[in-house]
């Protein structure tokens, strides 16, 4: 573990000058580590994997293959952004896998949150392994491990238990044990963002709010259905758009919609209209262990409520969750 610890002398990366020096150093280190060998990366579109991808493209270009698995639980437009930025603008070797049906078929009828997480995590590995097996001559696996992940694993090794199981690309089968490339493993999140911007990634991608691995799967509460998942994705896109319009997007740490598996009676076009409630969650936190509720102006809430109930099929009410953590967790599942 010792060489995984950040040296006390390491300066915090707060500006482009320091970021560029870090990038130069890591480009050289990656080239020295992998030589002319090939590297594989699971590119989720999250901040960490995106910054690793951009860094490795700079270092080794087409020796890197990125695999983006769309598990059907991404937010609106996210997979499209990955394809545009990495496949087109950065001209990466990008394999895009639309595995929506694989995931949603396995999840059909499964209501228990931890079972849902396990299914999503395991299937993610299955899809990734299927793709990796089709490729030849891969020697390395790149990962967007950052310093808090290292600190987490130290805690885990000391036997302190996590409240919810989180997943990354651990657990690959024996024949796919690659050596790891983890160029961000000594960086904190704010430093990763500065490095990402210095590498030319779009601001929105680098300052993206945290998004759980199981994605909308843990926000479409209970057993996921395609129609409720669709409503969730659309409602969440409206929430994000309006938070951006009102200058809240970078002020609030995490904000999203959850939709429970219940319907209430409402009225639309003078007829009875049964629909789901969309629940708004908007929280601030430092480390996600505790969280406070962001005060969202009523003007914003009214606009979001109006748009969601008028633009999204199947939703007839909008609620706001005012529960801090504790007692609520940030996610509902
Ligand atoms: P909770 O709900 O535990 O969430 O208060 C704390 C933070 O963790 C995120 N989260 C997850 N991230 N896989 C992830 O990668 C997961 O299964 C998962 N569950 C929660 C959550 O979005 C919040 O930022």
């Amino acid at each position: 573990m010792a060489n995984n610890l950040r040296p006390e002398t390491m300066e915090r990366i707060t500006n482009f000058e320091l970021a560029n020096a870090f990038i130069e150093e890591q480009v050289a280190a990656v080239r020295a580590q992998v030589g002319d060998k090939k590297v594989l990366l699971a590119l989720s579109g999250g901040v960490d994997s995106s910054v690793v991808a951009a860094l490795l493209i700079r270092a080794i270009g087409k020796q890197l293959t990125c695999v983006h698995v769309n598990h059907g639980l991404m937010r609106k437009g996210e997979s499209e952004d990955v394809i545009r930025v990495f496949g087109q603008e950065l001209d990466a070797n990008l394999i895009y896998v639309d595995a929506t049906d694989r995931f949603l078929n396995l999840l059909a009828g499964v209501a228990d949150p931890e079972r849902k997480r396990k299914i999503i995590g395991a299937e993610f590995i299955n899809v990734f392994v299927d793709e990796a097996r089709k490729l030849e001559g891969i020697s390395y696996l790149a990962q967007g491990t950052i310093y808090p992940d290292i600190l987490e694993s130290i805690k885990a090794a000391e036997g302190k238990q996590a409240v919810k199981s989180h997943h990354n690309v651990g657990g690959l089968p024996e024949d796919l044990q690659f050596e790891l490339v983890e160029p961000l493993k000594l960086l904190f999140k704010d430093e990763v963002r500065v490095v990402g911007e210095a590498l030319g990634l779009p601001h929105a991608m680098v300052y993206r709010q945290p998004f759980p691995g199981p994605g909308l799967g843990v926000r479409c509460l209970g057993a996921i259905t395609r129609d409720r998942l669709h409503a969730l994705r659309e409602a969440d896109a409206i929430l994000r758009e309006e938070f951006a319009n009102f200058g809240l997007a970078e002020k609030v740490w995490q904000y999203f919609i959850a939709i429970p598996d219940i319907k209430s009676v409402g009225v639309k076009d003078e007829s009875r209209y049964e629909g789901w409630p969309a629940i708004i969650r908007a929280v601030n936190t430092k480390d996600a262990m505790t969280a406070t509720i962001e005060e969202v102006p009523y003007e914003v809430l009214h606009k979001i409520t109006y748009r969601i109930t008028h633009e999204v099929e199947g939703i007839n009410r909008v609620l706001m969750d005012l529960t801090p953590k504790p007692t609520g967790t940030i996610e509902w599942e």
Side-chain angles (χ1 to χ4, degrees):
M1 220 24 113
N3 63 347
N4 273 340
L5 285 176
R6 190 175 161 118
E8 266 169 36
T9 49
M10 187 168 158
E11 195 173 354
R12 193 89 173 194
I13 300 172
T14 50
N15 58 42
F16 274 15
E17 202 185 324
L18 292 169
N20 284 328
F22 173 84
I23 292 164
E24 238 176 73
E25 184 191 297
Q26 286 304 317
V27 163
V30 169
R31 284 181 185 155
Q33 185 187 359
V34 309
D36 59 0
K37 302 267 172 39
K38 291 188 188 163
V39 182
L40 184 62
L41 168 73
L43 175 58
S44 66
V47 180
D48 307 334
S49 67
S50 296
V51 175
V52 170
L55 184 62
L56 293 192
I57 291 165
R58 170 99 40 114
I60 56 168
K62 301 271 185 190
Q63 282 167 253
L64 173 73
T65 299
C66 303
V67 176
H68 175 68
V69 176
N70 177 358
H71 50 20
L73 304 165
M74 304 290 285
R75 290 175 297 186
K76 192 169 177 174
E78 279 184 323
S79 285
E80 290 81 352
D81 284 349
V82 169
I83 294 170
R84 181 177 48 77
V85 171
F86 292 98
Q88 293 163 12
E89 291 168 14
L90 294 178
D91 193 28
N93 249 335
L94 173 69
I95 298 174
Y96 169 68
V97 192
D98 183 354
T100 303
D101 288 338
R102 276 177 74 159
F103 281 84
L104 294 189
N105 290 343
L106 282 172
L107 288 164
V110 180
D112 176 69
E114 284 301 290
R115 254 193 84 208
K116 285 165 70 176
R117 270 195 179 75
K118 293 227 161 72
I119 290 171
I120 296 166
E123 190 59 7
F124 184 86
I125 290 166
N126 290 340
V127 175
F128 186 73
V129 165
D130 286 351
E131 293 307 314
R133 289 225 162 94
K134 289 184 208 159
L135 300 168
E136 273 171 24
I138 301 283
S139 309
Y140 292 90
L141 182 72
Q143 290 204 143
T145 314
I146 65 171
Y147 200 50
D149 302 329
I150 301 275
L151 297 177
E152 268 285 300
S153 31
I154 294 173
K155 259 202 246 160
E158 287 168 357
K160 293 176 191 146
Q161 225 199 351
V163 178
K164 297 178 188 183
S165 59
H166 291 202
H167 83 266
N168 53 30
V169 196
L172 292 178
E174 279 287 300
D175 65 313
L176 288 178
Q177 291 299 328
F178 307 110
E179 225 179 290
L180 294 181
V181 179
E182 297 176 303
L184 308 181
K185 74 176 178 193
L186 295 184
L187 300 193
F188 289 102
K189 198 77 172 197
D190 53 316
E191 300 178 296
V192 174
R193 293 195 159 106
V194 181
V195 169
E197 280 208 290
L199 283 162
L201 288 177
H203 184 84
M205 188 172 256
V206 168
Y207 281 85
R208 196 179 99 132
Q209 55 165 321
F211 187 57
L216 299 182
V218 287
R219 298 176 180 173
C220 191
L221 308 178
I224 299 167
T225 56
R226 286 176 195 249
D227 53 356
R228 195 155 47 91
L229 180 61
H230 178 74
L232 170 61
R233 182 174 287 118
E234 294 297 319
D236 185 73
I238 291 173
L239 177 82
R240 288 191 289 140
E241 202 181 306
E242 293 304 334
F243 265 43
N245 285 343
F246 285 94
L248 288 167
E250 281 175 29
K251 207 176 145 232
V252 185
W253 195 80
Q254 205 173 18
Y255 48 96
F256 57 87
I257 298 281
I259 302 192
D261 187 14
I262 55 164
K263 283 192 171 179
S264 71
V265 176
V267 58
K268 199 172 184 178
D269 301 327
E270 292 170 31
S271 314
R272 180 184 169 97
Y273 183 71
E274 289 184 9
W276 303 290
I279 299 164
I280 299 174
R281 191 104 174 102
V283 300
N284 275 319
T285 177
K286 281 208 163 58
D287 56 7
M289 300 304 287
T290 60
T292 54
I293 298 305
E294 175 67 21
E295 278 191 29
V296 183
Y298 266 108
E299 181 197 5
V300 184
L301 293 175
H302 283 306
K303 174 124 191 250
I304 291 167
T305 302
Y306 183 86
R307 285 196 59 198
I308 290 180
T309 51
H310 285 74
E311 293 175 31
V312 183
E313 181 71 28
I315 297 182
N316 64 358
R317 289 173 199 268
V318 175
L319 316 177
M320 173 102 191
D321 180 358
L322 293 178
T323 321
K325 175 181 181 176
T327 54
T329 49
I330 294 176
E331 303 289 345
W332 269 54
E333 289 194 331

